[in-house]
Amino acid sequence: MWRVGAKLVVGATLLGGGAAGVNIFTSDDISTAFNICTLVPLRLLRDSLTAATIAFDYGYSLWGLKEGSIEWSKAKHEVHNRCALRLQELCFRNGGIYIKLGQHIGQLEYVVPQEYVHIMRTSMLKRCPFSSYDQVCKVLTRELGGLPEEIFEEFDPVPLASASLAQVHAARTHDGKKVAVKVQHTHLTDTATADIATVTLIVNALNWCFPEFDYRWLVDEIRESSPKELDFLFEARNSEKCLENFKRLSPHIADYIYVPKVYWDLSTSKVLTMEYMDAAEITDLIAIQRLGIQLYDVSKLVSQAFAEMIFRHGFVHCDPHAANMMVRPLPCGGKNLFGQKKPQLILLDHGLYKNLDFVTRVNYASLWKALIFADVNGIKENSVKLGAGEDLYALFAGILTMRPWNRVIDPSVDHLVLEGSDTDRSELQMYASHYFTQISELLRRLPRVILLMLKTNDCLRAVNHVLLQGSSLETYLIIGRVSSKAVSEAKIISSNCSILSGLSLWLEQMLLEARLFSMRIALWLLQIQKTLYYRTTKEI
């Protein structure tokens, strides 16, 4: 095990040093190249030492223990915790792209041990490093031509929040509008290339030492998406396109979705000035309830919004974690049947979007339709079309739903519902651990756009878990309805518009509505049953 660690340290550092030297002699910008080349060896050495320490810790801690025994399980839990903390420390020390990588890991419930998911998820969204006010001033001067107090009437030097790539400051324009100014961290311009290079090298080295550890797809995704996320004008255009899609393709919920207005004259690729949003974070349950909004209604709206984006728009916000969504009462008023205010969902951080081409979108919608209705043939057919293969379609279905195969094909109406209990969590952990090798192979096969859909799916599941302490049948009814509508629309587009085909599609839609209605009745009965059980238990 020490030999493997030494190979990682020496090989990665030499390779990084060689790449650094080549970069200096081939780059047009010598100062930037030199800065990168001084960072690459240091970061590679830090990465390699961390990876070697983790590899040694696993080998030493589990040496001689019988797999599956109580001692082995206890030791494995402890080493998972230690190594997750080491990885967390590495991400914080390197910052930038590494924070982004840590956030990705925090969403991979079906791939990495729960200890890593918990530590990364609880730290990477809330403890990102801050740039100093002097650094912020330098960015604003370079990008907008003046100091904050010159560009704005008011500018709060204390940031509202900081993320992996930027931090946000409250400000007020000279015409009195309150705005949020997103300022990119200064070091990212010079370190992004180095970060991607070092992460690529270390993941490739780990794959060389441990062939079953293949996360090269994750590095490929970061390499492709990072330049887009670092261009705030690209993010601004995405936000406007997102809102336009709802108005054009989903007008029935367009009023319930909002994105902050962009002030283009105060925005560049490194600075984004937006409308200030006075709203509650999506997982701040107390704040949402104080606004007079039901958590159940928020969960439904989140499910509806992303189902529309995925299955009908084909233009998907792929980073919907808790810090990127807010809630406020619907500005035009409106209340639900019980008199509570209706929510409006505010989407933030539009840097990471993916386009689903027509065929992929229809196949993915068809797969979810089959999952909702426990259609075994439909699940297999569309999983194979998306790249899972004849041998791993059941595993793909399990990852999408976080349920074992016997539950996926269970005909009961609530077969996909997750209660958020300890039993559910331990079942999922066992499932991921038992099928680790097959999961790695599946992720290697799937198109990267589907991998981003899996990440999006996991982010939404985490938000719903906070809102509802699990998932709800209503969520799956929404997914079933929207995915089925997308499939029907695709059939209309591809049909020859004959009377017979039109009649067939109409009949199919009527049967679908009848089935959804019966599921809704079942949902209503289940809710009554749970309410009666709760009251009876409380009285006892």
Side-chain angles (χ1 to χ4, degrees), residues 296 299-300 303 372 412-419 468 470-480 516 518-527 530:
Y296 185 70
S299 173
K300 284 170 56 180
S303 300
I372 301 301
S412 61
V413 69
D414 60 343
H415 67 294
L416 298 182
V417 175
L418 286 164
E419 297 295 340
L468 303 175
S471 60
S472 74
L473 183 56
E474 184 69 35
T475 296
Y476 293 107
L477 288 176
I478 290 168
I479 293 173
L516 287 170
S518 66
M519 292 177 74
R520 193 167 292 281
I521 294 296
L523 170 63
W524 180 65
L525 293 173
L526 280 172
Q527 288 173 331
K530 286 181 180 180

Side-chain angles (χ1 to χ4, degrees), residues 164-180:
S164 57
L165 306 182
Q167 62 191 45
V168 180
H169 292 258
R172 192 176 299 277
T173 63
H174 287 293
D175 59 357
K177 294 185 177 68
K178 191 172 183 181
V179 294

Side-chain angles (χ1 to χ4, degrees), residues 308-316 354-357 361:
E308 295 283 338
M309 274 194 273
I310 293 169
F311 302 125
R312 302 191 64 222
H313 304 178
F315 184 66
V316 187
K354 280 295 177 182
N355 285 293
L356 287 168
D357 64 73
R361 179 170 62 82

Side-chain angles (χ1 to χ4, degrees), residues 280-282 302 306 320-326 345-347 460 463:
E281 189 175 295
I282 193 92
V302 170
F306 280 87
H321 57 68
N324 288 341
M325 290 189 282
M326 302 181 82
L345 178 65
I346 300 167
L347 297 174
L460 296 173
V463 168

